[in-house]
Amino acid sequence: MHHANLSRSPAPTPVIHPWDYVAMRRRAAGLSVGQVAQALGGRAYERHLRLLETTGMRISIVADLNVAMPFSDDVYRQLADLPPHQHPRLCQRCGWDERTEVPDCADGFTSWSRDDTTICTRCERQAAA
Ligand SMILES: [Zn+2]
């Protein structure tokens, strides 16, 4: 992430790359690489996870990441294979997408923020807290 030049507007939506998506989903779950590896079956998965989060790396996922955290293989594949204008709409902070049902830490399930349509209600609540 680089700092936007505030004199320029409107700001273009930053492209979320597949490696960004893995890291965003992991951080949103509040997990370290080691913790995700542990949930997947042990330290052997750590190297795989670090590769998945490496800039420029487009590799196929051998682990079922959804076991450890809310994660969509479908979204990952689309980010890796499709040009940016065909990417699915994702929360710019946590990588949430509307097909992924995640509790929003309040009374329901996560959806799109009404005030800032680039983020989800869960990130909106965390920003407000
Ligand atoms: Zn979010």
Side-chain angles (χ1 to χ4, degrees), residues 56-73:
M57 202 61 78
R58 284 182 171 82
I59 59 175
S60 27
I61 298 180
V62 299
D64 185 4
L65 295 186
N66 205 41
V67 166
M69 60 190 187
F71 185 91
S72 165
D73 285 328

PDB file of all heavy atoms in Angstrom, residues 56-73:
ATOM      1  N   GLY A  56       3.681 -10.890  -6.338  1.00  0.00           N
ATOM      2  CA  GLY A  56       4.017 -11.408  -7.659  1.00  0.00           C
ATOM      3  C   GLY A  56       3.815 -12.903  -7.805  1.00  0.00           C
ATOM      4  O   GLY A  56       3.930 -13.450  -8.891  1.00  0.00           O
ATOM      5  N   MET A  57       3.492 -13.559  -6.679  1.00  0.00           N
ATOM      6  CA  MET A  57       3.371 -15.017  -6.683  1.00  0.00           C
ATOM      7  C   MET A  57       1.952 -15.427  -7.072  1.00  0.00           C
ATOM      8  O   MET A  57       0.986 -15.010  -6.468  1.00  0.00           O
ATOM      9  CB  MET A  57       3.702 -15.525  -5.277  1.00  0.00           C
ATOM     10  CG  MET A  57       4.134 -16.967  -5.216  1.00  0.00           C
ATOM     11  SD  MET A  57       5.614 -17.335  -6.157  1.00  0.00           S
ATOM     12  CE  MET A  57       6.873 -16.699  -5.055  1.00  0.00           C
ATOM     13  N   ARG A  58       1.877 -16.207  -8.133  1.00  0.00           N
ATOM     14  CA  ARG A  58       0.581 -16.763  -8.522  1.00  0.00           C
ATOM     15  C   ARG A  58       0.736 -18.272  -8.542  1.00  0.00           C
ATOM     16  O   ARG A  58       1.188 -18.835  -9.525  1.00  0.00           O
ATOM     17  CB  ARG A  58       0.164 -16.279  -9.912  1.00  0.00           C
ATOM     18  CG  ARG A  58      -0.335 -14.855  -9.946  1.00  0.00           C
ATOM     19  CD  ARG A  58      -0.758 -14.485 -11.355  1.00  0.00           C
ATOM     20  NE  ARG A  58      -1.434 -13.199 -11.413  1.00  0.00           N
ATOM     21  CZ  ARG A  58      -0.813 -12.030 -11.452  1.00  0.00           C
ATOM     22  NH1 ARG A  58       0.496 -11.984 -11.463  1.00  0.00           N
ATOM     23  NH2 ARG A  58      -1.495 -10.909 -11.510  1.00  0.00           N
ATOM     24  N   ILE A  59       0.397 -18.929  -7.447  1.00  0.00           N
ATOM     25  CA  ILE A  59       0.541 -20.377  -7.385  1.00  0.00           C
ATOM     26  C   ILE A  59      -0.793 -20.997  -7.019  1.00  0.00           C
ATOM     27  O   ILE A  59      -1.660 -20.327  -6.469  1.00  0.00           O
ATOM     28  CB  ILE A  59       1.617 -20.799  -6.352  1.00  0.00           C
ATOM     29  CG1 ILE A  59       1.253 -20.286  -4.955  1.00  0.00           C
ATOM     30  CG2 ILE A  59       2.987 -20.292  -6.760  1.00  0.00           C
ATOM     31  CD1 ILE A  59       2.202 -20.760  -3.871  1.00  0.00           C
ATOM     32  N   SER A  60      -0.952 -22.251  -7.353  1.00  0.00           N
ATOM     33  CA  SER A  60      -2.215 -22.871  -6.961  1.00  0.00           C
ATOM     34  C   SER A  60      -2.149 -23.245  -5.489  1.00  0.00           C
ATOM     35  O   SER A  60      -1.101 -23.588  -4.949  1.00  0.00           O
ATOM     36  CB  SER A  60      -2.549 -24.076  -7.831  1.00  0.00           C
ATOM     37  OG  SER A  60      -1.391 -24.649  -8.336  1.00  0.00           O
ATOM     38  N   ILE A  61      -3.311 -23.152  -4.879  1.00  0.00           N
ATOM     39  CA  ILE A  61      -3.402 -23.393  -3.447  1.00  0.00           C
ATOM     40  C   ILE A  61      -3.575 -24.885  -3.195  1.00  0.00           C
ATOM     41  O   ILE A  61      -4.471 -25.514  -3.765  1.00  0.00           O
ATOM     42  CB  ILE A  61      -4.590 -22.611  -2.856  1.00  0.00           C
ATOM     43  CG1 ILE A  61      -4.369 -21.111  -3.071  1.00  0.00           C
ATOM     44  CG2 ILE A  61      -4.761 -22.930  -1.386  1.00  0.00           C
ATOM     45  CD1 ILE A  61      -5.474 -20.241  -2.538  1.00  0.00           C
ATOM     46  N   VAL A  62      -2.695 -25.452  -2.402  1.00  0.00           N
ATOM     47  CA  VAL A  62      -2.798 -26.890  -2.127  1.00  0.00           C
ATOM     48  C   VAL A  62      -3.570 -27.156  -0.843  1.00  0.00           C
ATOM     49  O   VAL A  62      -4.034 -28.268  -0.617  1.00  0.00           O
ATOM     50  CB  VAL A  62      -1.406 -27.555  -2.028  1.00  0.00           C
ATOM     51  CG1 VAL A  62      -0.653 -27.414  -3.347  1.00  0.00           C
ATOM     52  CG2 VAL A  62      -0.587 -26.991  -0.888  1.00  0.00           C
ATOM     53  N   ALA A  63      -3.713 -26.139  -0.006  1.00  0.00           N
ATOM     54  CA  ALA A  63      -4.398 -26.343   1.274  1.00  0.00           C
ATOM     55  C   ALA A  63      -5.819 -25.808   1.199  1.00  0.00           C
ATOM     56  O   ALA A  63      -6.133 -24.940   0.399  1.00  0.00           O
ATOM     57  CB  ALA A  63      -3.636 -25.617   2.377  1.00  0.00           C
ATOM     58  N   ASP A  64      -6.687 -26.338   2.026  1.00  0.00           N
ATOM     59  CA  ASP A  64      -8.047 -25.833   2.131  1.00  0.00           C
ATOM     60  C   ASP A  64      -8.046 -24.710   3.170  1.00  0.00           C
ATOM     61  O   ASP A  64      -8.306 -24.930   4.337  1.00  0.00           O
ATOM     62  CB  ASP A  64      -8.990 -26.964   2.540  1.00  0.00           C
ATOM     63  CG  ASP A  64     -10.438 -26.511   2.544  1.00  0.00           C
ATOM     64  OD1 ASP A  64     -10.706 -25.347   2.160  1.00  0.00           O
ATOM     65  OD2 ASP A  64     -11.305 -27.303   2.925  1.00  0.00           O
ATOM     66  N   LEU A  65      -7.711 -23.518   2.696  1.00  0.00           N
ATOM     67  CA  LEU A  65      -7.550 -22.393   3.627  1.00  0.00           C
ATOM     68  C   LEU A  65      -8.823 -22.077   4.392  1.00  0.00           C
ATOM     69  O   LEU A  65      -8.779 -21.524   5.493  1.00  0.00           O
ATOM     70  CB  LEU A  65      -7.079 -21.148   2.869  1.00  0.00           C
ATOM     71  CG  LEU A  65      -5.700 -21.221   2.219  1.00  0.00           C
ATOM     72  CD1 LEU A  65      -5.315 -19.874   1.643  1.00  0.00           C
ATOM     73  CD2 LEU A  65      -4.650 -21.678   3.222  1.00  0.00           C
ATOM     74  N   ASN A  66      -9.950 -22.434   3.812  1.00  0.00           N
ATOM     75  CA  ASN A  66     -11.225 -22.154   4.466  1.00  0.00           C
ATOM     76  C   ASN A  66     -11.387 -22.915   5.780  1.00  0.00           C
ATOM     77  O   ASN A  66     -12.253 -22.586   6.590  1.00  0.00           O
ATOM     78  CB  ASN A  66     -12.370 -22.468   3.497  1.00  0.00           C
ATOM     79  CG  ASN A  66     -13.623 -21.684   3.824  1.00  0.00           C
ATOM     80  OD1 ASN A  66     -13.555 -20.504   4.163  1.00  0.00           O
ATOM     81  ND2 ASN A  66     -14.748 -22.342   3.763  1.00  0.00           N
ATOM     82  N   VAL A  67     -10.557 -23.910   5.995  1.00  0.00           N
ATOM     83  CA  VAL A  67     -10.565 -24.620   7.270  1.00  0.00           C
ATOM     84  C   VAL A  67     -10.070 -23.690   8.385  1.00  0.00           C
ATOM     85  O   VAL A  67     -10.532 -23.753   9.523  1.00  0.00           O
ATOM     86  CB  VAL A  67      -9.644 -25.874   7.187  1.00  0.00           C
ATOM     87  CG1 VAL A  67      -9.353 -26.439   8.575  1.00  0.00           C
ATOM     88  CG2 VAL A  67     -10.279 -26.931   6.299  1.00  0.00           C
ATOM     89  N   ALA A  68      -9.134 -22.822   8.038  1.00  0.00           N
ATOM     90  CA  ALA A  68      -8.496 -21.973   9.038  1.00  0.00           C
ATOM     91  C   ALA A  68      -9.107 -20.582   9.142  1.00  0.00           C
ATOM     92  O   ALA A  68      -9.049 -19.958  10.203  1.00  0.00           O
ATOM     93  CB  ALA A  68      -7.011 -21.838   8.713  1.00  0.00           C
ATOM     94  N   MET A  69      -9.691 -20.097   8.031  1.00  0.00           N
ATOM     95  CA  MET A  69     -10.202 -18.721   8.025  1.00  0.00           C
ATOM     96  C   MET A  69     -11.201 -18.575   6.888  1.00  0.00           C
ATOM     97  O   MET A  69     -11.173 -19.365   5.952  1.00  0.00           O
ATOM     98  CB  MET A  69      -9.032 -17.745   7.842  1.00  0.00           C
ATOM     99  CG  MET A  69      -8.269 -17.969   6.535  1.00  0.00           C
ATOM    100  SD  MET A  69      -6.732 -17.006   6.478  1.00  0.00           S
ATOM    101  CE  MET A  69      -6.202 -17.320   4.775  1.00  0.00           C
ATOM    102  N   PRO A  70     -12.091 -17.552   6.969  1.00  0.00           N
ATOM    103  CA  PRO A  70     -13.017 -17.353   5.848  1.00  0.00           C
ATOM    104  C   PRO A  70     -12.231 -16.998   4.589  1.00  0.00           C
ATOM    105  O   PRO A  70     -11.544 -15.982   4.549  1.00  0.00           O
ATOM    106  CB  PRO A  70     -13.879 -16.163   6.304  1.00  0.00           C
ATOM    107  CG  PRO A  70     -13.720 -16.112   7.788  1.00  0.00           C
ATOM    108  CD  PRO A  70     -12.322 -16.603   8.052  1.00  0.00           C
ATOM    109  N   PHE A  71     -12.281 -17.875   3.598  1.00  0.00           N
ATOM    110  CA  PHE A  71     -11.459 -17.709   2.407  1.00  0.00           C
ATOM    111  C   PHE A  71     -12.167 -18.346   1.227  1.00  0.00           C
ATOM    112  O   PHE A  71     -12.715 -19.435   1.333  1.00  0.00           O
ATOM    113  CB  PHE A  71     -10.101 -18.388   2.624  1.00  0.00           C
ATOM    114  CG  PHE A  71      -9.135 -18.177   1.488  1.00  0.00           C
ATOM    115  CD1 PHE A  71      -8.269 -17.095   1.507  1.00  0.00           C
ATOM    116  CD2 PHE A  71      -9.095 -19.046   0.415  1.00  0.00           C
ATOM    117  CE1 PHE A  71      -7.385 -16.881   0.457  1.00  0.00           C
ATOM    118  CE2 PHE A  71      -8.221 -18.842  -0.640  1.00  0.00           C
ATOM    119  CZ  PHE A  71      -7.354 -17.753  -0.619  1.00  0.00           C
ATOM    120  N   SER A  72     -12.137 -17.664   0.083  1.00  0.00           N
ATOM    121  CA  SER A  72     -12.776 -18.196  -1.117  1.00  0.00           C
ATOM    122  C   SER A  72     -11.747 -18.526  -2.189  1.00  0.00           C
ATOM    123  O   SER A  72     -11.063 -17.646  -2.706  1.00  0.00           O
ATOM    124  CB  SER A  72     -13.780 -17.172  -1.659  1.00  0.00           C
ATOM    125  OG  SER A  72     -14.151 -17.520  -2.977  1.00  0.00           O
ATOM    126  N   ASP A  73     -11.638 -19.810  -2.512  1.00  0.00           N
ATOM    127  CA  ASP A  73     -10.747 -20.234  -3.603  1.00  0.00           C
ATOM    128  C   ASP A  73     -11.176 -19.596  -4.925  1.00  0.00           C
ATOM    129  O   ASP A  73     -10.337 -19.262  -5.757  1.00  0.00           O
ATOM    130  CB  ASP A  73     -10.791 -21.758  -3.767  1.00  0.00           C
ATOM    131  CG  ASP A  73     -10.023 -22.471  -2.665  1.00  0.00           C
ATOM    132  OD1 ASP A  73      -9.024 -21.905  -2.167  1.00  0.00           O
ATOM    133  OD2 ASP A  73     -10.423 -23.582  -2.300  1.00  0.00           O
TER     134      ASP A  73
END
